Amino acid sequence: MLFNKKNNEQKVLDCLARLIEPELFEKLTLQSRLTVTNKGTEISLSLPFYAPTWLAQLQQDSAQQLTTLLGQEVSWKVSYKVPTYEHKKVAKRNNNIKNIIAVSSGKGGVGKSTVSVNLAIALAKNGAKVGLLDADIYGPSMPTMLGEKSTKSTTVDGKLLQPISAHGIVCNSIGFLIEDKDAMVWRGPMASKALQQVLNETDWPALDYLIVDMPPGTGDIQLTMSQNVALTSAIVVTTPQDVALIDAQKGITMFDKVDVNVAGLIENMSVYSCASCGHQEAIFGTGGGKKLAENQGLPFLGDLPLHISYREDTDTGYPTVARDVHSHLVSPYLTIAESLAINLYKNLKATIEQINITEVK
Ligand SMILES: Nc1ncnc2c1ncn2[C@@H]1O[C@H](COP(=O)(O)OP(=O)(O)O)[C@@H](O)[C@H]1O
Ligand SMILES: [Mg+2]
Ligand SMILES: [Zn+2]
């Protein structure tokens, strides 16, 4: 049988169209991202997000159908390019950073920093290039959580700060610059300025995502920051408790007010998972985060159990997702990271990246 490239590409497209949710399939414009070659039928696909589980499922579900349709087994060659998404801010942009994602919560102590660091590492594990900015000027957590407590930032030729590399991500924090106690006395405008300095004067490598661990609350500092930083999107972390949910709602309202897209909600400390016997208990209630997301028409990115290892691991400077010893605690983060990457793609418009056209004379 003669190999018919066009015909076979159409067969692959038809098969994938049946397996991918229509909304996403349409947006992926696979027509322009897919190439089928006759080297034993290889599907070459370019994806705008890293989602290993989603992709593995798609490959598994389509394998049999494709083999039947094409008359031979198929192999996949997948490449990735995360787009830069459009946002409504006029704030100055760093060309190395494609997308800035703020992790926020109305209330302190809901696990914003724990989620930020583990989510950043999870995104990197899935394949993305990730940076982490500790924006909690008053109580920076990242030096401890990354196991870099005694590390101080250095500069290259006295100008830009070098970010700290740890566990597959790069990070900068006000905690790498000054002693903890020195930041406490800063007032709002100073704190906001210090933060913008750490953001703008760091020598960030090329990043798909910069995760920003925001200070708690929805006060002036958060508002100014949301206005002055070129945020692509924000994630709101909550616990299932009513008080936390009310504050999460305030956070969503604040981002709406300053025209920042909300990528979705994460419910932390969802169910208590006992380290000795594995028994589970919904200490703070259950399902509140999901319900709030539904009411707000926002994506629910996932929930995370309350488990002692999450605390112990960050306290000892080796976040759970980097340690890999508790796979049941790692997988929720990998899933949330995928869900975030896919939802950003689904809900935001990518900027048209400049194409270098070489003039032919
Ligand atoms: N899912 C979880 N299970 C157990 N402990 C957690 C969990 N999430 C956060 N913690 C712990 O709760 C405390 C507050 O978390 P943290 O990330 O510092 O919150 P925030 O940044 O919102 O103030 C920390 O001691 C942290 O280790
Ligand atoms: Mg914190
Ligand atoms: Zn128990």
Side-chain angles (χ1 to χ4, degrees), residues 82-122:
V82 175
T84 303
Y85 297 108
E86 279 185 0
H87 58 80
K88 296 175 184 141
K89 304 275 112 188
V90 285
K92 189 177 114 192
R93 294 196 37 171
N94 176 327
N95 287 333
N96 269 1
I97 306 171
K98 287 187 182 170
N99 301 294
I100 304 184
I101 317 285
V103 176
S104 80
S105 70
K107 200 171 164 290
V110 299
K112 204 162 19 67
S113 301
T114 312
V115 169
S116 298
V117 70
N118 280 298
L119 178 61
I121 297 171

Side-chain angles (χ1 to χ4, degrees), residues 19-79:
L19 294 170
I20 300 174
E21 58 172 304
E23 203 191 351
L24 185 57
F25 180 81
E26 192 167 313
K27 210 168 171 198
L28 277 168
T29 55
L30 288 175
Q31 283 82 352
S32 64
R33 296 176 187 271
L34 176 82
T35 327
V36 176
T37 62
N38 67 349
K39 285 184 275 162
T41 309
E42 182 184 81
I43 299 174
S44 181
L45 186 66
S46 145
L47 280 181
F49 47 70
Y50 293 90
T53 312
W54 176 88
L55 180 65
Q57 189 69 51
L58 181 65
Q59 290 171 328
Q60 190 190 319
D61 293 347
S62 62
Q64 176 112 52
Q65 293 183 39
L66 287 173
T67 310
T68 313
L69 283 168
L70 304 170
Q72 60 187 150
E73 268 190 38
V74 294
S75 61
W76 295 66
K77 196 172 106 197
V78 184
S79 61

Side-chain angles (χ1 to χ4, degrees), residues 272 274-279:
Y272 169 70
C274 173
S276 352
C277 74
H279 90 272

Side-chain angles (χ1 to χ4, degrees), residues 105 107-115 136 141 145 213-214 216 268-270 304-312 314-315 333:
S105 70
K107 200 171 164 290
V110 299
K112 204 162 19 67
S113 301
T114 312
V115 169
D136 200 340
S141 306
M145 290 187 166
D213 179 14
M214 295 274 281
N268 188 33
M269 310 190 188
S270 205
L304 298 156
L306 175 70
H307 192 284
I308 190 167
S309 295
Y310 282 135
R311 184 191 61 72
E312 284 176 346
T314 41
D315 279 358
Y333 270 108

Side-chain angles (χ1 to χ4, degrees), residues 318-336:
Y318 217 113
T320 313
V321 174
R323 275 167 52 87
D324 244 357
V325 283
H326 301 290
S327 58
H328 68 292
L329 299 179
V330 177
S331 64
Y333 270 108
L334 296 176
T335 308
I336 289 173

